[in-house]
Amino acid sequence: MTTRRKFIKQSLLSTGLLIPGSTALAENKLRGRGVKTGNKPLFVSTWDHGLAANEKAWTMLSETGSILDAVEEGVKVTEADLSSRTVGIYGYPDREGIVTLDASIMSGTGDCGSVCFVRQVKHPITLARKVMENTPHVMLAGEGARQFAISEGMPIEEETLHPESEKEYLKWLEEQEYRPIINIENHDTIGMVGLDANGNLAGSCTTSGLAFKMHGRVGDSPIIGAGLYVDNEVGAATATGMGETIIKVCGSFLVVELMRQGRSPQEACEEAVNRLIRKNQENIEDIQAGFIAINKEGEHGAYAVHPGFNFSVRHDKANDLIDSKSEFQ
Ligand code: SD4
């Protein structure tokens, strides 16, 4: 913060015009960001599969008026996509040849639900929403989550690998590298954050996780605050990339809290990525991770460790695929 801004803030505090709780709002105003600078409604999703997901979310919002329905139905498009190797039951399996799924959903009022290490459920995001709405819990794991899906009348899918996933898995078995190596092909979680015209936010995140991970491994995507965080007072963020590094910095929560302190979505994503880099300096060349964020005013931002990350932005005028900026070139 510049000295001048510090001075203005102190003056406002001393005159009682600024109470500490309204700091973020005041900071935004000091930065010249009014309430009408962005787009409402707005959907931002990770990667190019976000384009189709955004489109569905947009339609849902116009039909139902529910931002939560919109972010759920949006990512269901990717979960159901036969060609997706990184989201849903057609995704890459773990080292034992088993596909296990992670998902989370959160509303701007603080309600949230998630499932992790769950098998044979085509729409883990819907299961996560059912955990949120129909149980007193936030997170269900593994067989318990699958049993809950059955009790909710959700279909249980056959456990056969998609031919393409199986081919890759058999190839991987030849070398069986212990550590999953993150690269552009195997880290395409879909995370979506959305804002309606009234300033209500919601987010969703769903993935088959790292390809050929250890059996039982859970990433950031189903962990509230790591893979996803939403707060109607501020904004929403979601993450993609190597989950272990994102969990270690409470990534999505960090992005939202930085926005609460007055950062724009872009500044918040950049600062969170830099924090993640500082904590993982020894092997940063092997780590890809990125964040997308929106704030209540309808501004968005995105940032990644390395080039190659892209994200999809839907507002009333367009649905665009945008290359994210990154720390390293
Ligand atoms: C995870 N973050 O399980 C997920 C993987 C991912 O794009 O792809 N993200 O760590």
Side-chain angles (χ1 to χ4, degrees):
M1 188 188 294
T2 64
T3 312
R4 180 176 149 71
R5 280 176 48 215
K6 239 184 214 159
F7 172 76
I8 294 171
K9 189 174 151 193
Q10 269 158 12
S11 310
L12 287 172
L13 276 167
S14 65
T15 57
L17 287 173
L18 178 62
I19 51 169
S22 65
T23 303
L25 189 61
E27 290 262 322
N28 276 339
K29 284 189 175 148
L30 288 173
R31 284 157 176 258
R33 276 198 295 279
V35 287
K36 289 192 184 108
T37 52
N39 290 293
K40 291 183 199 176
L42 173 68
F43 292 96
V44 182
S45 301
T46 54
W47 305 106
D48 56 354
H49 48 206
L51 289 173
N54 281 354
E55 216 40 63
K56 178 69 181 183
W58 190 268
T59 307
M60 276 311 287
L61 183 64
S62 33
E63 283 174 8
T64 70
S66 161
I67 192 70
L68 200 59
D69 287 351
V71 297
E72 178 191 349
E73 291 298 324
V75 301
K76 276 172 73 177
V77 172
T78 324
E79 288 182 339
D81 183 356
L82 269 172
S83 67
S84 174
R85 297 283 80 77
T86 51
V87 177
I89 52 175
Y90 312 117
Y92 289 120
D94 63 18
R95 298 168 64 199
E96 314 302 323
I98 298 166
V99 177
T100 69
L101 306 173
D102 297 339
S104 62
I105 191 160
M106 186 164 190
S107 81
T109 56
D111 288 335
C112 49
S114 78
V115 290
C116 65
F117 189 48
V118 66
R119 292 159 74 161
Q120 297 176 279
V121 173
K122 186 172 179 181
H123 289 302
I125 196 67
T126 299
L127 188 57
R129 184 164 174 185
K130 287 179 184 295
V131 171
M132 171 173 112
E133 292 179 341
N134 301 348
T135 81
H137 306 303
V138 165
M139 191 172 199
L140 289 181
E143 182 54 18
R146 201 181 72 100
Q147 288 299 331
F148 176 60
I150 295 169
S151 75
E152 289 287 312
M154 292 178 74
I156 295 299
E157 307 296 324
E158 244 185 75
E159 205 159 38
T160 47
L161 291 182
H162 186 280
E164 285 303 314
S165 300
E166 184 169 23
K167 214 162 77 188
E168 291 283 322
Y169 175 58
L170 293 175
K171 202 168 104 200
W172 177 83
L173 276 180
E174 288 167 18
E175 306 242 327
Q176 295 203 31
E177 235 178 301
Y178 180 75
R179 250 185 74 220
I181 300 292
I182 196 109
N183 64 35
I184 200 116
E185 288 88 31
N186 74 6
H187 62 92
D188 297 357
T189 294
I190 183 149
M192 174 185 285
V193 284
L195 171 72
D196 73 14
N198 301 317
N200 295 306
L201 292 145
S204 55
C205 188
T206 176
T207 187
S208 53
L210 293 184
F212 321 129
K213 61 196 175 187
M214 286 179 74
H215 189 60
R217 182 265 187 191
V218 169
D220 60 304
S221 307
I223 298 177
I224 300 299
L228 178 69
Y229 199 72
V230 185
D231 187 338
N232 265 356
E233 289 176 6
V234 181
T238 186
T240 181
M242 192 174 273
E244 284 73 5
T245 64
I246 296 161
I247 294 170
K248 284 180 192 172
V249 295
C250 297
S252 295
F253 181 72
L254 175 61
V255 172
V256 172
E257 291 310 299
L258 288 166
M259 291 193 287
R260 194 190 303 277
Q261 291 166 21
R263 273 36 153 230
S264 69
Q266 185 61 36
E267 289 166 338
C269 289
E270 290 182 14
E271 198 164 329
V273 164
N274 273 289
R275 174 92 56 96
L276 186 151
I277 291 170
R278 283 205 303 281
K279 301 285 178 195
N280 292 278
Q281 284 188 8
E282 334 65 61
N283 54 343
I284 197 64
E285 62 284 352
D286 292 335
I287 294 169
Q288 174 63 311
F291 297 103
I292 57 172
I294 58 178
N295 65 12
K296 226 178 143 45
E297 286 78 42
E299 298 173 303
H300 72 266
Y303 206 60
V305 177
H306 296 288
F309 173 45
N310 53 28
F311 60 101
S312 305
V313 181
R314 175 70 158 101
H315 49 76
D316 61 344
K317 290 182 195 66
N319 192 14
D320 292 323
L321 181 64
I322 300 172
D323 285 329
S324 170
K325 293 181 185 153
S326 57
E327 187 63 21
F328 301 109
Q329 301 313 315

